[in-house]
Amino acid sequence: MPAVTVENPLTLPRVTAPADAVARPVLTVTTAPSGFEGEGFPVRRAFAGINYRHLDPFIMMDQMGEVEYAPGEPKGTPWHPHRGFETVTYIIDGIFDHQDSNGGGGTITNGDTQWMTAGSGLLHIEAPPEHLVMSGGLFHGLQLWVNLPAKDKMMAPRYQDIRSGSVQLLTSPDGGALLRVIAGELDGHEGPGITHTPITMIHATLAPGAEVTLPWREDFNGLAYVMAGRGSVGAERRPVRLGQTAVFGAGSSLTVRADGKQDSHTPDLEVVLLGGRPIREPMAHYGPFVMNTKDELMQAFEDFQKGRLGTIPAVHGMTEKGPQDA
């Protein structure tokens, strides 16, 4: 799991919560069910079974892979629409191409992130490049959906190409944790992702036996999803493992620990830490559209069917497909 790393974390700025910080308790730990997305790539539904009041402003997150594809096997998603939210695609291993009807797009690989603000609506496609389809190889990543408040749902679409080299790298006082700030802010250090809804997104790697306690904004919620390895969360040391999400309660710090022994194929604990300021607005969500009312959902489907969300570039020689998740 390379993403972006450094040889000696102790050369990085160090972060720790103040001594008087209030530890966030662990409210729940859930296990993600497995499924398939797009044209058949395997995913874990990280937020399945979690009450939305604990997730807001996040809507869903899929862990894509980790899977080793044989030649001819790599799969992506066909063209599909979105409106009313943002998609964040973070690639840890492998290569993914993105293209949308608003002119955004590019290729991302180890540690890169694509941040697409669908806003008023567009069509897009995500797929491995042809050479990877031919050769096969390792593929692993995340896709996160972040809600937009009502005032921004119909904003103009936007695309951000966040390269691994621009991610803010931090560490714990003893260097046992590598913290990659992709978006938002941690202890005054800002990540490169520009968000309409205030959030923090961090990919943390903890060496066996390492522990980190981070300051966490009190007006944000707190979530920890385990992408690989085993460990524990909170002052109560609640066990967590691959495919599990911990929901934290109120407080001003959160703690994550890696077990002293990890599986042979997983040398470290890999965790995604998420926090966001809840929007607290009504949400109407169906397939690729996230709006505030059922009437707005119906309008989104009508606009898609009438071609108002954009057109597929002619170079693809494809016809539009029906709405579906991505």
Side-chain angles (χ1 to χ4, degrees):
M1 187 175 291
V4 57
T5 189
V6 294
E7 186 172 338
N8 181 11
L10 289 173
T11 62
L12 302 172
R14 304 180 196 188
V15 177
T16 189
D20 60 351
V22 177
R24 286 176 173 249
V26 179
L27 302 181
T28 64
V29 173
T30 60
T31 301
S34 298
F36 292 92
E37 189 51 83
E39 296 177 335
F41 62 85
V43 297
R44 287 185 174 91
R45 309 288 191 191
F47 296 161
I50 300 175
N51 190 303
Y52 182 66
R53 66 188 174 90
H54 297 313
L55 298 176
D56 184 14
F58 307 110
I59 301 165
M60 59 150 275
M61 186 169 72
D62 283 347
Q63 180 179 10
M64 305 179 293
E66 182 177 5
V67 58
E68 183 75 42
Y69 282 120
E73 285 187 342
K75 298 175 176 66
T77 64
W79 283 94
H80 56 280
H82 285 309
R83 171 180 280 181
F85 65 102
E86 301 183 280
T87 68
V88 183
T89 305
Y90 174 51
I91 296 299
I92 300 164
D93 294 291
I95 308 173
F96 229 31
D97 286 339
H98 169 100
Q99 185 177 6
D100 65 51
S101 57
N102 192 52
T107 299
I108 55 175
T109 185
N110 302 344
D112 297 335
T113 301
Q114 291 173 334
W115 200 295
M116 185 184 76
T117 304
S120 60
L122 43 61
L123 308 176
H124 84 137
I125 187 172
E126 294 168 308
E130 185 61 29
H131 70 85
L132 183 62
V133 174
M134 297 297 293
S135 66
L138 185 63
F139 182 79
H140 190 198
L142 290 174
Q143 186 169 96
L144 172 70
W145 288 14
V146 185
N147 202 3
L148 287 170
K151 66 181 181 63
D152 292 330
K153 283 197 177 293
M154 296 299 288
M155 66 176 291
R158 183 180 67 180
Y159 178 82
Q160 298 177 66
D161 188 9
I162 302 172
R163 293 293 152 179
S164 60
S166 67
V167 170
Q168 176 69 63
L169 299 180
L170 307 169
T171 191
S172 52
D174 64 359
L178 175 61
L179 308 168
R180 306 167 185 87
V181 185
I182 298 167
E185 175 267 341
L186 180 64
D187 198 29
H189 303 276
E190 294 189 359
I194 300 171
T195 69
H196 290 277
T197 303
I199 73 165
T200 294
M201 180 179 182
I202 297 167
H203 172 192
T205 299
L206 280 74
E211 173 179 316
V212 62
T213 297
L214 301 176
W216 210 252
R217 283 180 51 167
E218 293 187 68
D219 61 334
F220 277 20
N221 57 7
L223 304 162
Y225 175 73
V226 181
M227 293 188 293
R230 292 178 287 112
S232 61
V233 289
E236 58 270 54
R237 295 180 177 266
R238 186 81 171 265
V240 289
R241 55 177 170 76
L242 167 64
Q244 291 189 320
T245 302
V247 176
F248 291 90
S252 56
S253 72
L254 55 80
T255 298
V256 180
R257 302 174 190 80
D259 283 357
K261 292 185 178 179
Q262 300 290 334
D263 298 333
S264 58
H265 64 282
T266 305
D268 303 307
L269 175 66
E270 304 283 351
V271 182
V272 174
L273 302 173
L274 296 169
R277 188 170 68 200
I279 297 173
R280 295 192 177 97
E281 293 178 348
M283 184 177 69
H285 172 204
Y286 187 82
F289 305 128
V290 182
M291 306 303 293
N292 292 103
T293 69
K294 289 184 178 180
D295 286 345
E296 290 171 345
L297 272 185
M298 293 175 64
Q299 185 65 54
F301 276 101
E302 180 181 333
D303 289 347
F304 167 64
Q305 291 164 352
K306 293 186 176 181
R308 297 172 185 152
L309 269 61
T311 57
I312 295 172
V315 66
H316 286 269
M318 301 168 63
T319 58
E320 291 185 359
K321 295 181 179 289
Q324 56 194 287
D325 287 352

